[in-house]
Amino acid sequence: MLLCYDYEKGGDPMRKHPEVTEQTKANLRTAFWSLYKEKAIEEITIKEITDAAGYNRGTFYLYYKDVYDLFNKIEEELLEEIRILIHDNLPQKEGLDFAGHMGLIVKLSQQYSAYMSVLLSDHGDPTFVTRLKELIWPLLNRYVLDTSALTTQEQSLLSEFYLSGLLAAITRWLEAPGDMTIDQFIRFVMRQVFSGVVMV
């Protein structure tokens, strides 16, 4: 295989063939994810992934150390997308249209629904959910919930209450998105979950 041949000669296959590299990585990730949806990560072998993707083990090791490294990179990329989304759309002034920003998060979840629906489910990685909550909480804390009079523990409890409910709702919606459009889903959440919340 050309990529392996260049690598052995000291070349960098990722620099020489960027299009091939990205397609190869995408194929490996797709193969891994098809297995991860059916079984626990510790039960998945590199051979299973490479067989499903049509590569050999050497190709896998060009990009990933092991199965866990591949999984971690998928999570990191998803979290980075969300981090950039929030950073780029977080205004410095007060008066955020939270429904609009939540819509962006929901749309991102839909874009990566093949991953998110699993990661947010009971079969997913709890650490991913925890890190996702840490990214989303500032939106609620700054623009939706008045937590100024609460203790640190009370804020922690409140954040868990709202974030767990919001992510659980997104997870359930992703299971059958055709039953409710994104706009309908957002309006429903804002009406049912945040009714009675003191807006800042």
Short mmCIF file of all heavy atoms in Angstrom, two decimals, residues 8 36 43 79 106-107 113 126 130 148 157 166 168 171 184 196:
data_model
loop_
_atom_site.label_atom_id
_atom_site.label_comp_id
_atom_site.label_asym_id
_atom_site.label_seq_id
_atom_site.Cartn_x
_atom_site.Cartn_y
_atom_site.Cartn_z
N GLU A 8 7.27 3.99 5.68
CA GLU A 8 8.46 3.23 5.98
C GLU A 8 9.72 3.96 5.48
O GLU A 8 10.80 3.81 6.02
CB GLU A 8 8.36 1.85 5.34
CG GLU A 8 7.30 0.97 6.02
CD GLU A 8 7.06 -0.32 5.25
OE1 GLU A 8 7.66 -0.47 4.17
OE2 GLU A 8 6.28 -1.16 5.74
N TYR A 36 -19.17 -0.19 17.37
CA TYR A 36 -19.42 0.37 18.69
C TYR A 36 -20.91 0.47 19.00
O TYR A 36 -21.31 0.40 20.17
CB TYR A 36 -18.77 1.75 18.79
CG TYR A 36 -18.92 2.40 20.15
CD1 TYR A 36 -18.36 1.84 21.28
CD2 TYR A 36 -19.63 3.60 20.29
CE1 TYR A 36 -18.50 2.43 22.52
CE2 TYR A 36 -19.77 4.21 21.52
CZ TYR A 36 -19.21 3.63 22.64
OH TYR A 36 -19.35 4.21 23.86
N GLU A 43 -14.61 -4.71 23.68
CA GLU A 43 -14.80 -5.94 22.91
C GLU A 43 -14.42 -5.78 21.44
O GLU A 43 -14.41 -6.74 20.68
CB GLU A 43 -16.27 -6.38 22.99
CG GLU A 43 -16.74 -6.70 24.40
CD GLU A 43 -18.23 -7.01 24.45
OE1 GLU A 43 -18.89 -6.94 23.40
OE2 GLU A 43 -18.73 -7.32 25.54
N LEU A 79 -16.48 17.62 20.55
CA LEU A 79 -16.47 18.64 21.59
C LEU A 79 -15.85 19.95 21.08
O LEU A 79 -16.29 21.04 21.45
CB LEU A 79 -15.70 18.13 22.81
CG LEU A 79 -16.39 17.01 23.59
CD1 LEU A 79 -15.44 16.41 24.62
CD2 LEU A 79 -17.65 17.53 24.28
N VAL A 106 -28.63 22.01 18.86
CA VAL A 106 -29.47 20.90 18.41
C VAL A 106 -29.13 20.52 16.97
O VAL A 106 -29.05 19.34 16.63
CB VAL A 106 -30.97 21.26 18.53
CG1 VAL A 106 -31.82 20.14 17.92
CG2 VAL A 106 -31.35 21.46 19.99
N LYS A 107 -28.91 21.52 16.12
CA LYS A 107 -28.56 21.24 14.73
C LYS A 107 -27.22 20.54 14.64
O LYS A 107 -27.01 19.66 13.79
CB LYS A 107 -28.54 22.54 13.93
CG LYS A 107 -29.93 23.12 13.69
CD LYS A 107 -29.87 24.46 12.96
CE LYS A 107 -31.27 25.02 12.77
NZ LYS A 107 -31.24 26.36 12.13
N SER A 113 -25.53 13.15 14.35
CA SER A 113 -26.47 12.28 15.04
C SER A 113 -25.99 10.83 15.12
O SER A 113 -26.29 10.12 16.09
CB SER A 113 -27.85 12.33 14.37
OG SER A 113 -27.76 11.90 13.02
N PRO A 126 -19.72 8.27 29.70
CA PRO A 126 -20.17 9.27 30.69
C PRO A 126 -19.28 10.51 30.73
O PRO A 126 -19.77 11.61 30.99
CB PRO A 126 -20.09 8.50 32.02
CG PRO A 126 -20.24 7.06 31.62
CD PRO A 126 -19.51 6.95 30.30
N THR A 130 -20.34 14.55 30.56
CA THR A 130 -19.89 15.51 31.57
C THR A 130 -19.20 16.70 30.93
O THR A 130 -19.47 17.86 31.28
CB THR A 130 -18.92 14.83 32.56
OG1 THR A 130 -19.60 13.76 33.23
CG2 THR A 130 -18.41 15.83 33.59
N SER A 148 -27.34 34.06 40.78
CA SER A 148 -26.52 34.96 41.60
C SER A 148 -26.74 34.78 43.09
O SER A 148 -25.82 35.01 43.88
CB SER A 148 -26.79 36.41 41.20
OG SER A 148 -28.18 36.73 41.38
N LEU A 157 -26.19 21.73 41.60
CA LEU A 157 -27.40 20.91 41.55
C LEU A 157 -28.34 21.40 40.45
O LEU A 157 -28.94 20.60 39.72
CB LEU A 157 -28.12 20.94 42.90
CG LEU A 157 -27.39 20.26 44.07
CD1 LEU A 157 -28.12 20.53 45.38
CD2 LEU A 157 -27.28 18.76 43.83
N LEU A 166 -32.10 18.55 29.45
CA LEU A 166 -31.94 19.03 28.09
C LEU A 166 -31.28 17.99 27.19
O LEU A 166 -31.76 17.70 26.09
CB LEU A 166 -31.10 20.31 28.09
CG LEU A 166 -30.79 20.93 26.73
CD1 LEU A 166 -32.07 21.28 25.98
CD2 LEU A 166 -29.89 22.16 26.90
N ALA A 168 -31.08 14.76 27.74
CA ALA A 168 -31.95 13.59 27.62
C ALA A 168 -33.03 13.83 26.56
O ALA A 168 -33.37 12.94 25.78
CB ALA A 168 -32.60 13.28 28.97
N THR A 171 -31.43 13.58 23.15
CA THR A 171 -31.18 12.16 22.85
C THR A 171 -32.44 11.47 22.37
O THR A 171 -32.44 10.76 21.36
CB THR A 171 -30.65 11.42 24.10
OG1 THR A 171 -29.46 12.07 24.56
CG2 THR A 171 -30.34 9.97 23.77
N GLN A 184 -39.84 22.89 16.03
CA GLN A 184 -40.87 22.40 16.94
C GLN A 184 -40.25 21.88 18.23
O GLN A 184 -40.78 22.12 19.32
CB GLN A 184 -41.68 21.29 16.26
CG GLN A 184 -42.58 21.77 15.14
CD GLN A 184 -43.24 20.62 14.39
OE1 GLN A 184 -42.71 19.52 14.32
NE2 GLN A 184 -44.42 20.88 13.84
N GLY A 196 -41.36 29.43 33.39
CA GLY A 196 -41.27 29.83 34.78
C GLY A 196 -39.85 30.18 35.22
O GLY A 196 -39.64 30.63 36.33
#
